Amino acid sequence: MKIVELDGYAANPGDLSWDALRELGDFELYDRSAPEEVVERAKDADIILVNKVNITKEVMDRLPKLKYIGILATGYNVVDIVAAKAHGIVVSNVPAYSTDSVAQTTFAHILNMTNRIAHYARLNREGKWSRNADFCYWDTPLPELSGKTLGIVGLGNIGCKVARIALDFGMDVFAYTSKNAADLQEGIQKTTLDGLFAISDVLTLHCPLTPDTRELINKASLKKMKRGALLVNTGRGPLVNEADVAEALKSGKLGGYGADVMCSEPPSADNPLFKQPNAFITPHIAWATKEARARLLTTCIENIKAFIDGHPQNVVNA
């Protein structure tokens, strides 16, 4: 089979090996593919692999040899799965590979906003501590997480991992979830969405992006939150209205916003969040630890082997 990877650089910029894919067929690798390059590059492919390249119905109509699409991600919104099923194309994703990494980044953002390590390290490089009259100083609030309330929107693999970490910090954990309250792990309490907004000292988003969750955080929902609460988004950028979040930061309604995702990626340089000193944005790297990317690639290869063997796994359009 011919296997074409259309945008491999983000998942593997060179620190992992593609050799296992070369053993499965005629493998062709592209670091990136512009929309107008996709059909030409994939025209002879039985299998294509994508991360962020959009595979639309129109693209599939022009790829009659295509039998399988492997998504090097958990989310599969880049592929028209209805059209793929109509074409008889199997689509598989890679679930749960980044759970530990994303939970780690979630707490990196929380701890950054509470302890401001980078802020103090910068001041000390500039000599502030050396000039200080006392043995210590601080010029930001230094809240303790123990006893604070963490609100979680979405209790999938990542949300549950974040909850376990929060409980170890001594936080009270509440969640808005479709799961039954009796099925939640010990220490997590279920509440309504409005209830979560009202009680959370820290609110973190781990739900999928759907029509119901798009701009879940907006001017109206922000008004329901505690003044000075912290918001973390390591889910999907469009879960929030970025202009409304920027305004809430400017007014002090939000004490901080930590995000690893944005509505447009790469974002515009004039995005209003970049003007807010209490907005802390990382460039969609929560998933990108070497360990997580290795798991991603391993499962992608296992998915292809299972498809070739006639027993496809992790199929999202069955």
Side-chain angles (χ1 to χ4, degrees):
M1 288 192 174
K2 182 167 184 178
I3 304 168
V4 177
E5 163 58 88
L6 288 168
D7 59 340
Y9 186 83
N12 180 12
D15 55 350
L16 300 172
S17 173
W18 296 106
D19 287 350
L21 282 168
R22 293 187 174 95
E23 294 173 1
L24 296 177
D26 176 14
F27 178 63
E28 195 167 340
L29 171 65
Y30 296 96
D31 285 345
R32 302 168 187 85
S33 294
E36 62 273 15
E37 296 173 322
V38 170
V39 171
E40 177 62 26
R41 290 178 172 183
K43 64 182 180 181
D44 296 322
D46 301 286
I47 293 171
I48 61 172
L49 305 178
V50 298
N51 188 325
K52 296 302 180 191
V53 171
N54 283 294
I55 306 299
T56 63
K57 177 183 181 300
E58 292 71 25
V59 168
M60 286 181 254
D61 288 343
R62 299 172 64 188
L63 299 175
K65 295 183 180 181
L66 186 61
K67 303 177 183 69
Y68 177 89
I69 301 171
I71 304 172
L72 274 79
T74 301
Y76 47 87
N77 57 296
V78 296
V79 175
D80 186 333
I81 60 171
V82 174
K85 187 171 184 178
H87 280 76
I89 299 169
V90 175
V91 183
S92 292
N93 72 338
V94 182
Y97 74 93
S98 64
T99 298
D100 290 340
S101 294
V102 177
Q104 176 178 316
T105 298
T106 298
F107 264 88
H109 274 287
I110 292 171
L111 292 170
N112 173 61
M113 290 188 287
T114 55
N115 292 63
R116 300 296 178 93
I117 300 298
H119 165 75
Y120 289 106
R122 177 182 59 80
L123 290 181
N124 292 341
R125 281 194 296 271
E126 296 170 356
K128 183 164 184 176
W129 198 7
S130 300
R131 298 189 300 269
N132 203 59
D134 302 303
F135 77 95
C136 68
Y137 73 93
W138 60 92
D139 57 7
T140 67
L142 295 172
E144 189 173 73
L145 290 180
S146 180
K148 298 294 191 299
T149 296
L150 179 75
I152 302 175
V153 181
L155 272 183
N157 292 314
I158 296 170
C160 286
K161 181 74 174 188
V162 167
R164 290 196 294 273
I165 297 170
L167 290 169
D168 286 341
F169 268 102
M171 301 185 79
D172 298 320
V173 179
F174 288 79
Y176 175 67
T177 175
S178 58
K179 295 180 179 179
N180 294 324
D183 296 331
L184 301 186
Q185 67 188 71
E186 184 178 355
I188 304 176
Q189 302 177 66
K190 182 173 179 175
T191 187
T192 64
L193 188 57
D194 282 351
L196 202 67
F197 291 144
I199 63 176
S200 296
D201 298 299
V202 182
L203 181 68
T204 184
L205 308 178
H206 301 291
C207 55
L209 178 63
T210 68
D212 289 336
T213 61
R214 183 175 290 274
E215 296 195 3
L216 179 73
I217 304 300
N218 54 42
K219 188 175 296 186
S221 56
L222 288 162
K223 287 181 179 178
K224 299 173 184 177
M225 294 178 65
K226 290 183 178 181
R227 185 170 184 83
L230 306 178
L231 175 64
V232 180
N233 184 8
T234 55
R236 290 289 182 265
L239 293 173
V240 311
N241 180 304
E242 291 176 342
D244 291 350
V245 170
E247 185 57 37
L249 289 167
K250 184 177 180 180
S251 70
K253 177 64 176 178
L254 274 182
Y257 179 55
D260 187 56
V261 288
M262 299 192 78
C263 293
S264 177
E265 297 176 348
S268 169
D270 62 358
N271 187 292
L273 286 170
F274 291 140
K275 299 177 182 178
Q276 298 306 317
N278 286 337
F280 304 95
I281 313 295
T282 50
H284 206 141
I285 55 172
W287 68 285
T289 62
K290 187 174 183 180
E291 294 85 351
R293 290 184 292 106
R295 286 191 293 270
L296 175 70
L297 196 54
T298 296
T299 303
C300 170
I301 293 164
E302 291 171 352
N303 285 349
I304 295 173
K305 288 179 178 179
F307 169 73
I308 292 172
D309 290 342
H311 304 286
Q313 64 181 20
N314 295 318
V315 177
V316 298
N317 67 330

